[in-house]
Amino acid sequence: MEHDASDAGEARYELVISVDARRSGQYGDAEKPRMRERIYRILDTAFAQAGVDRRALYTGDRGDGVLMAVPGRIAVTRLLGLWMVEVHESLREENSSLRVPLGLRIAMHVGPVRHDSNGINGRAVDLACRLADADVGRRLLDAEGADLVLVVSGSLYHDVVSAGGKFILPERFAPAELDLKEGEFTGWFHLPGRARPDFSRLAPQGPAEGGEDSGSSGGGPLPEGSGGKGGGPRPVDAEGRDDSPLDEGDPAAADEGRDDGPARYVAGGDLSVNRDNVYHQPVHIGRTVDSDRRKG
């Protein structure tokens, strides 16, 4: 995809797609070329089936993945819908003959992109790459036994995905708050061909031993930009607000601002909370203490 020199410093509003292979560090030197060939074959087949000319896109090789920028004249919904369906089908076909299936993490974000003679750059590019690299995606693949996960930025979800469309099912996307190097962002995760992701099934997060894509689940501090604090992604509601349980050990704080649904409490010691109960017989609530201890 060629650009005039006069355009080098101008930002273009484009869809950025980052594609990464699962556990690429575990492929040997002899296996990586075949893994790369499969990735490009899957993507090229999907573009052809979706009626998108890949020559109209910027494509940058990342060794274990691909970075792409889609010009504005190509509908974002086509990539989110039909193209993702075709990627999933092509991936399934490739994996049908593999002993160890290829896994892909795909991230999408729309924002200003700058092109120069060496490729593309800009905050939108950085965010798409961070989303694809977020540990939540890796752990979802493992927990669900899936081979493909899509994550889109909060702005792309609210601007495009939430409206739905052909092959776009917003009810099958689940949000999680991610701690990326640039700050906190909400990523919306989707497992093509499956139900809405369930983050409660994810194992506690551990350090990435032996490389950034090792998939380790041992204990220790979280790696930077891992996509979760203190044991996993923090679920958020449809508006992107943190919807995780409060953990300050304060029953009043846990119940503050909640008018419905089950109350949630976390306490370091004894706690007894009784609300809206009707007792028809004498009841005792709390610990039973013998009389000698009460006198003391």
Side-chain angles (χ1 to χ4, degrees), residues 14 42 75 105 143 154 167 180 190 193 205 250 289 292:
E14 298 181 332
I42 289 168
R105 303 186 309 273
F167 303 116
L180 308 181
H190 172 55
Q205 165 60 31
D250 182 355
V289 182
D292 291 337

Side-chain angles (χ1 to χ4, degrees), residues 76-95:
V76 175
T77 52
R78 181 171 291 266
L79 279 303
L80 280 166
L82 181 57
W83 183 73
M84 280 303 305
V85 169
E86 295 297 342
V87 168
H88 185 215
E89 290 301 315
S90 297
L91 179 60
R92 290 179 59 193
E93 184 175 351
E94 287 284 339
N95 284 339

Side-chain angles (χ1 to χ4, degrees), residues 16-87:
V16 182
I17 304 175
S18 179
V19 181
D20 279 346
R22 171 175 53 193
R23 294 190 178 92
S24 58
Q26 295 182 6
Y27 286 86
D29 288 347
E31 300 170 319
K32 280 192 174 180
R34 291 191 290 271
M35 178 265 287
R36 287 162 46 81
E37 288 176 3
R38 293 187 184 101
I39 293 176
Y40 279 101
R41 185 161 55 243
I42 289 168
L43 298 180
D44 287 345
T45 300
F47 280 124
Q49 294 295 326
V52 177
D53 186 354
R54 208 190 86 172
R55 295 172 298 177
L57 283 60
Y58 163 83
T59 302
D61 185 81
R62 302 185 65 201
D64 59 352
V66 183
L67 180 64
M68 296 174 284
V70 183
R73 66 178 180 273
I74 299 177
V76 175
T77 52
R78 181 171 291 266
L79 279 303
L80 280 166
L82 181 57
W83 183 73
M84 280 303 305
V85 169
E86 295 297 342
V87 168

Side-chain angles (χ1 to χ4, degrees), residues 65-287:
V66 183
L67 180 64
M68 296 174 284
V70 183
R73 66 178 180 273
I74 299 177
V76 175
T77 52
R78 181 171 291 266
L79 279 303
L80 280 166
L82 181 57
W83 183 73
M84 280 303 305
V85 169
E86 295 297 342
V87 168
H88 185 215
E89 290 301 315
S90 297
L91 179 60
R92 290 179 59 193
E93 184 175 351
E94 287 284 339
N95 284 339
S96 64
S97 61
L98 297 179
R99 182 177 60 86
V100 179
L102 173 65
L104 295 179
R105 303 186 309 273
I106 299 180
M108 295 187 185
H109 174 57
V110 172
V113 178
R114 286 181 168 80
H115 294 256
D116 58 31
S117 58
N118 295 310
I120 59 175
N121 63 88
R123 190 167 179 267
V125 177
D126 295 341
L127 179 56
C129 293
R130 301 283 189 237
L131 290 173
D133 195 47
D135 191 72
V136 176
R138 296 192 184 98
R139 293 159 64 198
L140 271 177
L141 292 183
D142 291 339
E144 299 290 345
D147 298 330
L148 177 63
V149 61
L150 168 68
V151 54
V152 302
S153 63
S155 59
L156 181 55
Y157 176 85
H158 289 292
D159 291 344
V160 182
V161 175
S162 63
K166 190 173 184 179
F167 303 116
I168 301 177
L169 304 173
E171 67 274 11
R172 294 192 181 181
F173 284 73
E177 190 174 332
L178 308 176
D179 298 308
L180 308 181
K181 290 184 178 180
E182 291 79 9
E184 292 188 349
F185 292 88
T186 299
W188 288 78
F189 291 82
H190 172 55
L191 297 167
R194 294 173 179 257
R196 191 174 192 260
D198 182 3
F199 296 125
S200 67
R201 298 181 59 182
L202 300 188
Q205 165 60 31
E209 297 177 0
E212 68 178 46
D213 211 5
S214 65
S216 170
S217 59
L222 291 174
E224 184 177 17
S226 64
K229 283 182 181 178
R234 296 188 301 282
V236 296
D237 61 19
E239 299 301 323
R241 296 186 295 264
D242 192 338
D243 196 35
S244 57
L246 298 176
D247 58 358
E248 298 301 322
D250 182 355
D255 199 38
E256 183 178 356
R258 298 185 181 274
D259 299 330
D260 53 5
R264 293 177 288 182
Y265 304 93
V266 179
D270 297 330
L271 174 65
S272 177
V273 178
N274 299 271
R275 291 173 41 180
D276 304 324
N277 296 316
V278 178
Y279 302 104
H280 299 284
Q281 296 181 8
V283 297
H284 174 81
I285 299 173
R287 176 182 297 179

